[in-house]
Amino acid sequence: MIGSLAQAPAREQPALPAGEATSRESAPPREPAPSPGSTASRTGRARGVLLALLCTAGWSASVLIGHNLDTAQEVHRIGLAVHILALVVAFGTILVIDWIGLLWLLGKREIHEPGRLESAAKPLIWGGLAMLLASGAFINPDLGSIPTRVKLVCVLVILLNGLAIAPLMHRLLAMPGTTRFGEVARGLRARLVLALSVSQACWWTAVLIGLLNSTLRRWSGS
């Protein structure tokens, strides 16, 4: 009996279709996501904290210089022109990226499209934000005005929210291109929707308050 079992032929494995076998062999291994306690994760968190501190420092410097610096009318006009140009560059780019992200939420785009667009547009976004901070120091913001304070807080939130979005985009790019929004983990979905909502709410609030302040200054002749 034992001898007959030893001589029995091995069970044949079911043959895979040629296309499936090729795809399994050619598919590159997916890199595992770093665990929360890994060195890569700790390094990423430390880098994020450092960038957040740098953004907060730049924002604070812009606000303090703008509050204490009494600029001439010509300098104010140049600063305002640069401020508007920076707004068009940064806000316009953000609108396009958020729109593509919304289309993915609705199932009309692949998951990688928002992340790839965000990665390619980083120089425009952060360059525009840097120009906003630099030019904001020369347009004499009225810190005694509550709407102006709200606008400045919105700008800071935009900076920090932009840093928080970056790791979310990296996680999306690591997923298969056919992944739908409903297939993403619930926690990640909530963070994506929150980041998108905060981005749009703060941008539109800052833009509308800026337009209101500019209009009131023009009417008052200041």
Side-chain angles (χ1 to χ4, degrees):
M1 182 67 178
I2 296 177
S4 63
L5 289 176
Q7 297 174 359
R11 182 177 300 176
E12 295 182 357
Q13 298 294 333
L16 294 174
E20 184 177 354
T22 304
S23 61
R24 289 190 180 184
E25 292 175 359
S26 60
R30 192 177 301 169
E31 296 183 2
S35 60
S38 65
T39 303
S41 179
R42 291 194 299 268
T43 303
R45 286 197 297 268
R47 181 173 177 270
V49 171
L50 178 60
L51 290 176
L53 292 176
L54 290 176
C55 287
T56 304
W59 175 86
S60 302
S62 175
V63 173
L64 291 176
I65 294 174
H67 179 63
N68 296 300
L69 182 64
D70 187 14
T71 57
Q73 186 175 5
E74 292 77 9
V75 176
H76 179 273
R77 289 177 178 175
I78 295 174
L80 184 59
V82 174
H83 204 69
I84 295 175
L85 176 62
L87 176 65
V88 171
V89 172
F91 186 39
T93 307
I94 289 293
L95 276 179
V96 174
I97 295 175
D98 287 351
W99 175 250
I100 297 298
L102 178 61
L103 292 178
W104 169 65
L105 296 182
L106 299 176
K108 298 182 181 298
R109 288 290 186 274
E110 289 190 354
I111 189 174
H112 292 165
E113 292 188 35
R116 288 171 178 167
L117 182 58
E118 187 268 346
S119 179
K122 275 183 180 179
L124 293 176
I125 298 172
W126 290 103
L129 289 172
M131 289 173 59
L132 278 175
L133 294 181
S135 59
F138 298 96
I139 60 176
N140 302 120
D142 182 13
L143 297 185
S145 169
I146 293 180
T148 300
R149 294 179 182 179
V150 173
K151 173 193 172 184
L152 294 175
V153 171
C154 285
V155 172
L156 178 59
V157 173
I158 287 170
L159 292 170
L160 300 180
N161 186 62
L163 295 176
I165 290 176
L168 303 182
M169 291 298 182
H170 292 160
R171 293 180 62 180
L172 293 182
L173 288 174
M175 297 180 182
T178 56
T179 304
R180 300 291 183 181
F181 179 68
E183 300 171 351
V184 178
R186 183 178 301 177
L188 181 56
R189 277 184 294 170
R191 292 173 64 186
L192 287 170
V193 173
L194 178 62
L196 177 64
S197 302
V198 169
S199 173
Q200 288 298 308
C202 289
W203 270 111
W204 282 108
T205 300
V207 169
L208 292 177
I209 291 177
L211 290 176
L212 177 62
N213 286 343
S214 179
T215 302
L216 292 178
R217 281 189 174 186
R218 182 173 300 177
W219 285 350
S220 62
S222 59

